[in-house]
Amino acid sequence: MSPRPTRTSRLLATAVAVSAAAALTAVALPAQPAAAATPYRGANNATVQDDFNGDGYHDLAVGAPGAANGSVDAAGAVVVLYGSASGVTASRRTVITQATSGIPGSPEEWDRFGTAVTSADLDRDGYADLLVGTPGESAGTMGGTGSLTVVWGGSAGLKGGASVPTPTGLDEGCNFAAGIAAGDVTGDGAPDLGVTGQCGATTYTGPFTRTGSPARRAFVNDLGTNRGVVIGDVDGDGKAERFWLPGPTNGDVSGPVHLENENGSYTELPLADGLSGQIGDVNGDGYGDLVTGNPYDASLMSGATPAHRGGEIQVLYGSAQGITVDQKPRVFHQGIAGVPGGGEDGDLFGFSLSVGDTNGDKYADVLVGAHGEAVGSAGYAGTATLLRGSATGLTATGAKSYSQDTAGVPGTAEKGDMFAASTQLIDLNKDGRAEAVAGTPGENSDGLVWIARGATTGPVTSGSTTISGTGAGLARRYSEIDFGEELAGARSSL
């Protein structure tokens, strides 16, 4: 049996540059049966997104890939905390594992179910469905081939599920479904998917049947790792664009950004970099903007184009022409005036990020995680930085930084906590202002999430709360529970 990776090796290890920028080619796989016509009730729109029980409140899905299932170590779990007028609590939850009735598969050691989570209304019934990536899933004797599971939403919450078909020919260590993104690429009202892995990536075209089968799927072969995928509408035509982030190459250690064209070809954005990303309208012009994270500086990654010291994020603005190849991204890092803190080697600023409107001003803000940042003498205690959207775009004006030493934030910053290893901005109480959520998987052997309500001034630390993995009903065997390692924000996969 191969050695089990530690949390440190998973979250802090640097990527190895591959030999050359590989060409992206689409290989068509046999089409799946189309879903029967059903009433379109929103699919992936803002009302349905993340609302698994249809009560009008967004729900928070938290991955805990290290959670034990009985005597099975690191089988993994996802905890869904249901939103309400008062936000979320640990008591109003659903825990999903591969031992849950109706969920395909079975818990196996080191599956790490919950390594990736997102949501979309795949069957178009008006309820969000939970998508769970399990990159450690075995296929026969081959470990780490990976699998993707959909858990169906409904009036009673999440219940039952199906396996989304994997690409043919996956090998050991392909880690399929290490990353997932959803959006309506074709404009037909049915969500489409992009799924990443170590052996390439896969596209799925909706609608999906209740067996998990899409109308069509295709394998995207980049001859190596594909780290990230981002889906969102950046040109206002009602169809989402799909951006692929293959990961480091010899020519670009921060990772190239490829825009998928409607004919299946790909256009590289030569001035942009990114290992993860999300799309949101940070300047309020009605077009989605692409925000990417580039956490690896020269202390962590040798070669051309490392990030600024400590890490960075980049912003590419959408328009009626979309994002063009000659657009130069706006770069933010901790060396810029107004951004709290100072860039230090290995801070990993931009390892996680999320986009959402925290103060109700109709401009999306960006919450950036830097879980490698020291707080005082506590290394890898971690911080989160909020950058604000405005009519002129993302700005450092009014930026704020949060850690477990910030007044009002429960707990204390400790070495290895990794506060903000994952982040999410999500309106959990339906007041029009997103709550700030930061996953802290290194908190003891448990992990926790921090939740601060949104307000006209942005996230409010006073009265903010934390929920731990054991408090959410999870158990540990030998490995850490890693509760909060994954949220539905963007995070670099290693």
Side-chain angles (χ1 to χ4, degrees):
M1 181 180 293
S2 59
R4 297 174 178 176
T6 64
R7 180 194 293 123
T8 301
S9 68
R10 290 194 309 274
L11 289 180
L12 305 181
T14 61
V16 177
V18 298
S19 61
L24 294 173
T25 59
V27 180
L29 295 179
Q32 301 297 313
T38 56
Y40 169 57
R41 294 173 55 190
N44 204 36
N45 69 21
T47 301
V48 173
Q49 185 75 17
D50 297 312
D51 184 3
F52 301 114
N53 59 0
D55 64 357
Y57 294 96
H58 294 165
D59 308 315
L60 181 65
V62 184
N69 193 287
S71 63
V72 183
D73 192 29
V78 177
V79 177
V80 173
L81 305 168
Y82 290 102
S84 70
S86 56
V88 296
T89 63
S91 61
R92 193 163 180 259
R93 67 177 188 259
T94 293
V95 178
I96 304 291
T97 74
Q98 287 183 299
T100 301
S101 177
I103 304 304
S106 58
E108 297 172 313
E109 188 174 77
W110 220 252
D111 274 353
R112 294 188 61 80
F113 179 87
T115 296
V117 296
T118 194
S119 73
D121 182 10
L122 291 191
D123 58 354
R124 300 184 298 173
D125 65 353
Y127 300 97
D129 307 310
L130 175 68
L131 287 153
V132 183
T134 311
E137 185 86 61
S138 298
T141 60
M142 294 190 301
T145 55
S147 68
L148 177 60
T149 302
V150 55
V151 186
W152 303 113
S155 59
L158 292 159
K159 185 177 181 180
S163 294
V164 177
T166 59
T168 57
L170 288 183
D171 204 348
E172 186 167 80
C174 278
N175 296 137
F176 170 75
I180 320 161
D184 184 6
V185 175
T186 60
D188 64 354
D192 310 302
L193 302 179
V195 184
T196 70
Q198 296 286 337
C199 299
T202 307
T203 64
Y204 294 87
T205 302
F208 287 74
T209 69
R210 291 283 287 198
T211 65
S213 296
R216 188 171 66 254
R217 60 190 169 113
F219 182 65
V220 182
N221 179 18
D222 69 350
L223 306 180
T225 298
N226 194 94
R227 285 178 174 269
V229 57
V230 190
I231 300 178
D233 186 0
V234 298
D235 59 10
D237 67 352
K239 299 179 181 180
E241 280 67 51
R242 188 157 38 204
F243 297 86
W244 294 102
L245 311 175
T249 70
N250 275 350
D252 187 352
V253 297
S254 291
V257 178
H258 294 274
L259 169 62
E260 182 180 324
N261 301 315
E262 287 192 9
N263 64 3
S265 64
Y266 300 85
T267 298
E268 183 175 351
L269 304 180
L271 305 179
D273 301 290
L275 301 181
S276 64
Q278 277 200 332
I279 290 173
D281 187 3
V282 299
N283 60 1
D285 64 355
Y287 300 102
D289 308 310
L290 174 63
V291 184
T292 62
N294 305 282
Y296 297 134
D297 59 24
S299 72
L300 300 174
M301 182 71 73
S302 62
T305 70
H308 282 83
R309 188 181 184 195
E312 68 186 35
I313 66 167
Q314 297 185 3
V315 185
L316 289 162
Y317 292 99
S319 68
Q321 293 74 43
I323 294 174
T324 58
V325 296
D326 59 349
Q327 184 179 157
K328 184 177 181 180
R330 179 75 190 275
V331 178
F332 292 83
H333 54 87
Q334 290 179 299
I336 289 178
V339 178
E344 300 168 317
D345 288 351
D347 280 347
L348 295 168
F349 183 87
F351 185 88
S352 68
L353 64 89
S354 186
V355 182
D357 182 3
T358 63
N359 58 2
D361 65 357
K362 309 305 180 186
Y363 302 108
D365 310 309
V366 181
L367 185 65
V368 186
H371 70 271
E373 183 146 26
V375 177
S377 61
Y380 299 106
T383 63
T385 300
L386 184 74
L387 302 174
R388 298 191 180 277
S390 72
T392 57
L394 197 65
T395 175
T397 302
K400 294 183 178 180
S401 180
Y402 308 91
S403 76
Q404 288 185 294
D405 275 2
T406 300
V409 177
T412 303
E414 299 168 309
K415 182 179 180 181
D417 278 349
M418 300 183 187
F419 181 83
S422 63
T423 56
Q424 188 172 2
L425 295 176
I426 179 173
D427 183 5
L428 297 169
N429 60 8
K430 204 168 62 172
D431 67 353
R433 297 181 288 265
E435 276 64 63
V437 185
T440 310
E443 181 78 18
N444 303 319
S445 59
D446 194 3
L448 59 77
V449 292
W450 169 68
I451 305 157
R453 65 179 178 86
T456 55
T457 56
V460 177
T461 58
S462 178
S464 63
T465 60
T466 58
I467 297 173
S468 70
T470 52
L474 302 178
R476 180 192 180 206
R477 186 163 170 81
Y478 302 118
S479 68
E480 299 94 344
I481 293 174
D482 291 335
F483 182 72
E485 183 174 305
E486 181 65 15
L487 297 166
R491 189 174 71 87
S492 295
S493 61
L494 294 173

